[in-house]
Amino acid sequence: MTIYVKIMPNLTGPLVVGLLYDGLCTFEFGIVAEIFGLSRPEMGETWYRFASCAVDEGPMRAHGGFSIVADHGPEILEEADIIVVPGWKGTDIAVPDTLCRQLRAAHSRGARIASICSGAFVLAATGLLSGGTATTHWRYADKLRQLYPDIEVDDASLYRAHDRIYTSAGSAAGIDLLIEIVRQDFGAGAANSVARRLVMPAHRTGGQAQFLERPVSAREGLEIAPLLDRIRADLAREWSVRQMAEATRMSTRTFLRRFSEATGQTPGDWLADERINEAKRLLCQGNARMETVAMTAGFGSSHTLRHHFRKKVGISPVEYRARFMRETADRRATV
């Protein structure tokens, strides 16, 4: 199987270039192509243009057992507004000097460069991260520190930014980072639209913990879905399992079984997660008092909010808001 990727026609927006190399991390490249290369006519003509760039000469193979052929060679990097490194072949595999020079040249003329997961090792090899802070998957953090002691490695955050250089943790964090770039370029509405197409939350700040022990939700069954929508619309209400079961006209035992089948969680865990998501949204919107955020999200008190927030997110609500404000100010300063 051979994949060809071309610049999308009739668009005038920033040119995003995803790197292709022998041994490509298939999923990571798929993330880049999905967010920047998918046709989105609703976004208008100024949406991103997308192209792939071959790092290696000759035939290239990707994880999964298929061949890949890029439409462009390194010359396309001279035109790129954003370059994304979707992982790398291995933490001990040298990055070609030519690629390092090309990335440094692109950065010097104003291009942004982002990496997903082990792609941070490529950016580190360029020297562009020296003296700055970067993140990568927690499994590779010690190796990155060992090889590049002049980089402060943050193995707790989902993504970090340093002088138009962006690094992210695992694959899911890469999605968060790229959606954040969409938000910077086109605003929250566009980022939310892309996130909805991916069926994922619209925003997780880069400072959130990598260790997110939240089960992946299964399909929300037709019998449960109306209740979930009703709860999301009224999170401040005190929802008991008995009330939920009555709302679906099920016995408590049947309800608990159906709820688990539909969401992969207990009602209590699901409700806590939804309230946390609402609290995040409120914290990022303005300077509402913590008690107001807690009451609106359904926690009842700021003390309860702090307890659940730190347990689920890894930081306090105050720190979450502060990091969001700092990241927003930093982005505005670099635009």
Side-chain angles (χ1 to χ4, degrees):
M1 177 181 180
T2 301
I3 293 179
Y4 297 87
V5 185
K6 296 183 178 180
I7 296 179
M8 299 178 69
N10 305 320
L11 295 176
T12 61
L15 174 59
V16 180
V17 175
L19 299 187
L20 294 177
Y21 50 86
D22 190 45
L24 179 72
C25 295
T26 309
F27 181 55
E28 282 81 354
F29 181 80
I31 291 170
V32 185
E34 174 77 16
I35 292 178
F36 296 117
L38 193 67
S39 177
R40 300 182 190 276
E42 72 277 11
M43 297 298 186
E45 295 181 357
T46 61
W47 189 246
Y48 298 102
R49 296 169 293 149
F50 179 73
S52 62
C53 168
V55 170
D56 296 318
E57 296 181 358
M60 296 179 290
R61 291 183 65 78
H63 291 171
F66 55 90
S67 300
I68 50 176
V69 178
D71 274 329
H72 300 275
E75 70 283 349
I76 194 68
L77 296 178
E78 298 175 5
E79 305 175 32
D81 299 295
I82 301 172
I83 300 170
V84 185
V85 186
W88 187 237
K89 307 175 185 185
T91 59
D92 292 315
I93 298 179
V95 180
D97 290 338
T98 300
L99 177 59
C100 289
R101 288 195 299 271
Q102 291 162 341
L103 293 178
R104 286 194 295 266
H107 183 261
S108 67
R109 63 171 175 75
R112 288 171 285 173
I113 306 177
S115 68
I116 301 174
C117 197
S118 58
F121 287 80
V122 175
L123 303 190
T126 67
L128 293 171
L129 289 173
S130 296
T133 302
T135 190
T136 187
H137 194 287
W138 56 268
R139 292 179 59 191
Y140 307 136
D142 287 341
K143 186 69 173 181
L144 189 61
R145 290 189 185 97
Q146 175 188 339
L147 293 176
Y148 303 97
D150 58 340
I151 299 173
E152 181 181 344
V153 179
D154 177 4
D155 58 2
S157 295
L158 295 177
Y159 53 86
R160 294 297 301 253
H162 166 70
D163 190 25
R164 288 182 286 109
I165 304 291
Y166 302 83
T167 53
S168 60
S171 301
I175 299 175
D176 289 306
L177 170 59
L178 300 188
I179 287 181
E180 170 60 17
I181 290 174
V182 172
R183 193 173 75 89
Q184 292 178 24
D185 291 345
F186 292 93
N192 291 344
S193 176
V194 173
R196 281 195 300 271
R197 289 277 291 270
L198 292 168
V199 195
M200 65 170 290
H203 184 263
R204 293 195 296 172
T205 63
Q208 289 190 49
Q210 288 190 27
F211 300 96
L212 303 172
E213 299 182 1
R214 178 177 179 179
V216 176
S217 297
R219 180 179 62 88
E220 295 180 359
L222 296 177
E223 296 171 295
I224 298 296
L227 171 67
L228 301 186
D229 290 339
R230 180 178 170 187
I231 294 173
R232 290 186 182 108
D234 192 10
L235 288 170
R237 174 177 169 178
E238 185 175 342
W239 290 95
S240 68
V241 172
R242 181 182 61 79
Q243 290 171 322
M244 293 182 191
E246 289 178 351
T248 57
R249 299 182 180 180
M250 299 179 191
S251 68
T252 300
R253 182 176 179 180
T254 299
F255 170 75
L256 289 173
R257 176 170 56 81
R258 297 282 177 82
F259 195 97
S260 177
E261 291 172 352
T263 68
Q265 296 178 274
T266 66
D269 287 343
W270 180 87
L271 182 58
D273 284 344
E274 292 299 319
R275 285 173 168 162
I276 288 292
N277 289 336
E278 176 64 8
K280 289 178 183 177
R281 186 185 69 83
L282 295 170
L283 289 167
C284 292
Q285 278 190 341
N287 297 315
R289 294 176 61 250
M290 214 51 67
E291 285 292 339
T292 302
V293 173
M295 293 296 294
T296 304
F299 287 106
S301 71
S302 59
H303 174 77
T304 304
L305 169 63
R306 284 193 298 272
H307 170 75
H308 287 282
F309 205 93
R310 187 173 290 278
K311 180 179 178 181
K312 292 284 187 179
V313 183
I315 58 177
S316 71
V318 172
E319 186 177 1
Y320 181 90
R321 173 182 273 167
R323 288 189 182 185
F324 177 81
M325 296 301 181
R326 284 198 301 270
E327 291 171 5
T328 300
D330 289 345
R331 287 192 297 269
R332 288 172 178 168
T334 58
V335 172

